[in-house]
Amino acid sequence: MKTMAIIGAQWGDEGKGKITDLLAEKSDLVVRYQGGHNAGHTIWVNGKKTVLHVIPSGVLHSSCTSVIGHGVVLEPENFLHELNKIKHITNISPENLKISSTATVITQFHKLLDGVRESQGPEKIGTTGKGIGPAYEDKISRRGIKVKDLLDKDTLMRRLGVGYSEKAILFKHLYHIDIPAIEDEVERLYKLGQEMKDYICDTFSLIDKSLSEGKKILYEGAQGILLDIDYGTYPYVTSSSTSSSGIYSGAGIPHHQLDEVIGVAKAYTTRVGEGPFPTELFDEIGQTIQLKGNEVGATTGRKRRCGWLDIPLLRYAIKCSQLSSIALTKLDILSNLSELKVCYAYEVNGKRVDCAYPGINLYQAKPLFKEFTPFKDDFSDSKTSKELDQYLSFIQESLGIPISIYAYGPDRQQVIFKKKLF
Ligand code: GDP
Ligand code: IMO
Ligand code: MG
């Protein structure tokens, strides 16, 4: 097996960081292909916590090269801050961390626009406020700034100037806020570019060469399939292609198929921000899961909304990303609960629905639950109880693809492999 992808199968925060770190040990390259520092990927090794935002989760393995692909939106100041923090933990240098010269830059204007739209705009999405949406807008409308543009002041001034006057009018007359002068932003970005320059390269060619040399490549998704700009619960989504199709456009994997696409899913469901959530719990059990699971956003510190596992949504996610197996995380959080349920289908307008196709109005979806005898496993050995086995078999049979990894704690060691990977 040479190429593998780790994709969030729900609304993000499924444990992608942990699973990527785990599989990075045997990978040559770990590649991020979309999103930006809206992501928060947590890794625990021997009781020490690391949260990564835009740097790939392979970075703790010095043998592996981390690649920020061209589909990513990169905020240079945040990147350098993250880099400096990581340098205290692991050996990281331009040898093992590469940024695509054609990744898109997030500027101050993007961040300001994101914030002001959330606070003053007609519709609140509940974004992370990092400027992700506005940066992708500029990219798609061909006004974006590429990482390589940071290295030349004249180019930077010209590129930044393309959308500046329009933005200036918007900020002044619609939102009534002051924005930095273009010259100041050029100076700021140029300086940051100089600090980053040794890391910048043509990552497309690097990936192409690595593939032809038979190297093992792990693609790390950010967010989750239900936040995908096309497949997700629009408009309550992020602005990138979070599903496996984003790999082809956002990283470059010429003429290659992915050998394994692992969808990471929690044994329950969480969501941050606005939008529909059929199995959301508003009672004590939901609060218990939120507290026990420490369901607080790794990037924004917001409480995550919690609910039971939603099979119709996962069935849809499997189709959207051709998932070949599932890594099921946070089983330990469900252990010893007073009740245990799984949503196996919805009822919508009196009809049973098994898969959350886009035609289904999720606000009208009434979840149909199967109740299980709660399991009480403490995962101190590899044995699993009859109750847990019943729960897992039901999920696997309902999804029709294998569960390749079970996770029962945040640490790198706290997993059971059910399938040989890499
Ligand atoms: P990501 O964005 O998908 O990488 O996930 P986050 O890091 O935002 O959130 C997942 C949280 O769950 C992190 O705090 C992880 O350390 C933690 N985690 C991952 N797997 C497990 C698990 O199996 N059990 C427990 N208790 N925590 C886990
Ligand atoms: P990881 O990679 C969970 C959500 C935000 C909001 C919507 C749009 O850690 O799983 P954005 O700032 O992207 O424009 O916000 O997407 N969101 C996430 N939710 N995990 C994430 O990343 C997320 N990144 C964005 O909460 O609802
Ligand atoms: Mg996260």
Side-chain angles (χ1 to χ4, degrees):
M1 202 180 285
K2 298 289 182 203
T3 55
M4 193 149 57
I6 305 292
I7 315 270
Q10 295 159 323
W11 278 296
D13 303 327
E14 301 90 347
K16 299 175 292 294
K18 175 191 160 119
I19 303 296
T20 304
D21 164 69
L22 193 68
L23 296 170
E25 194 188 353
K26 293 193 178 154
S27 311
D28 297 300
L29 256 58
V30 175
V31 184
R32 274 280 303 270
Y33 58 91
Q34 47 70 232
H37 63 308
N38 48 349
H41 294 182
T42 316
I43 302 167
W44 283 88
V45 184
N46 301 327
K48 200 169 173 335
K49 180 181 177 181
T50 305
V51 182
L52 296 162
H53 297 284
V54 73
I55 294 179
S57 302
V59 77
L60 299 187
H61 299 276
S62 50
S63 58
C64 142
T65 298
S66 295
V67 179
I68 298 176
H70 60 249
V72 169
V73 281
L74 188 87
E75 202 283 296
E77 199 168 325
N78 187 276
F79 164 76
L80 287 166
H81 180 69
E82 189 174 333
L83 180 64
N84 285 332
K85 268 173 65 181
I86 300 298
K87 276 184 175 164
H88 290 112
I89 306 169
T90 183
N91 279 337
I92 187 163
S93 72
E95 285 305 301
N96 58 12
L97 175 63
K98 311 281 183 191
I99 306 169
S100 165
S101 55
T102 52
T104 299
V105 174
I106 301 179
T107 68
Q108 298 259 60
F109 309 126
H110 297 137
K111 188 165 183 267
L112 283 168
L113 200 52
D114 195 1
V116 90
R117 279 180 182 160
E118 284 287 294
S119 59
Q120 298 183 35
E123 185 169 52
K124 191 172 156 60
I125 302 293
T127 73
T128 58
K130 306 290 182 192
I132 305 296
Y136 275 116
E137 278 170 44
D138 271 354
K139 170 183 169 172
I140 299 299
S141 66
R142 296 152 295 176
R143 294 142 178 249
I145 295 168
K146 297 288 172 174
V147 164
K148 63 180 179 196
D149 300 338
L150 298 175
L151 304 179
D152 180 79
K153 259 192 205 177
D154 292 339
T155 311
L156 197 48
M157 177 60 95
R158 187 169 46 78
R159 294 297 310 153
L160 209 54
V162 177
Y164 184 79
S165 50
E166 205 176 83
K167 284 195 187 73
I169 292 171
L170 205 64
F171 282 117
K172 188 166 178 207
H173 297 290
L174 184 65
Y175 295 120
H176 310 291
I177 59 162
D178 293 329
I179 56 164
I182 190 165
E183 293 78 11
D184 294 346
E185 185 63 352
V186 168
E187 282 303 323
R188 189 185 76 89
L189 289 174
Y190 179 75
K191 219 168 123 232
L192 294 166
Q194 291 304 302
E195 286 184 61
M196 280 169 35
K197 71 171 187 289
D198 293 345
Y199 296 91
I200 301 170
C201 74
D202 168 5
T203 55
F204 181 93
S205 300
L206 172 71
I207 295 169
D208 192 25
K209 184 164 171 278
S210 303
L211 283 168
S212 61
E213 289 169 355
K215 296 210 165 136
K216 290 182 173 160
I217 305 189
L218 186 60
Y219 295 91
E220 177 186 16
Q223 292 80 50
I225 294 168
L226 304 174
L227 288 171
D228 184 283
I229 186 72
D230 290 300
Y231 295 118
T233 48
Y234 194 90
Y236 303 105
V237 294
T238 191
S239 300
S240 65
S241 297
T242 60
S243 62
S244 58
S245 55
I247 297 171
Y248 295 90
S249 57
I253 167 170
H255 316 300
H256 276 266
Q257 290 281 326
L258 291 163
D259 296 320
E260 176 89 25
V261 185
I262 302 179
V264 187
K266 275 177 191 159
Y268 47 96
T269 312
T270 62
R271 168 161 217 175
V272 203
E274 310 298 314
F277 186 168
T279 64
E280 185 166 10
L281 288 161
F282 299 97
D283 56 5
E284 224 171 86
I285 195 99
Q287 276 176 28
T288 305
I289 294 174
Q290 195 273 323
L291 283 172
K292 201 174 163 201
N294 191 24
E295 293 299 348
V296 177
T299 297
T300 58
R302 290 178 293 177
K303 262 192 193 175
R304 295 174 183 148
R305 299 156 64 189
C306 298
W308 295 120
L309 190 73
D310 188 325
I311 297 284
L313 279 177
L314 284 178
R315 285 197 184 111
Y316 173 60
I318 291 168
K319 288 179 195 289
C320 293
S321 260
Q322 298 88 45
L323 301 181
S324 46
S325 72
I326 292 284
L328 197 67
T329 62
K330 300 200 112 167
L331 278 168
D332 51 314
I333 305 304
L334 296 187
S335 184
N336 280 305
L337 289 188
S338 55
E339 54 177 317
L340 181 60
K341 293 182 186 175
V342 171
C343 164
Y344 62 91
Y346 306 140
E347 194 184 290
V348 186
N349 299 327
K351 283 202 185 118
R352 180 177 155 149
V353 170
D354 291 311
C355 178
Y357 287 113
I360 306 298
N361 181 345
L362 290 182
Y363 287 110
Q364 288 175 3
K366 180 175 168 280
L368 303 176
F369 289 112
K370 178 171 167 65
E371 284 214 43
F372 289 82
T373 309
F375 56 86
K376 297 188 187 319
D377 298 53
D378 66 2
F379 302 97
S380 56
D381 56 36
S382 58
K383 284 201 196 94
T384 47
S385 66
K386 181 173 91 256
E387 291 79 14
L388 177 56
D389 287 344
Q390 277 169 354
Y391 178 75
L392 295 172
S393 303
F394 180 78
I395 296 170
Q396 187 159 279
E397 277 162 30
S398 305
L399 297 180
I401 57 170
I403 300 177
S404 48
I405 300 172
Y406 299 114
Y408 55 84
D411 200 86
R412 203 184 253 171
Q413 313 296 334
Q414 292 174 302
V415 286
I416 303 169
F417 279 96
K418 288 285 175 187
K419 184 174 174 184
K420 193 174 176 314
L421 299 160
F422 268 177

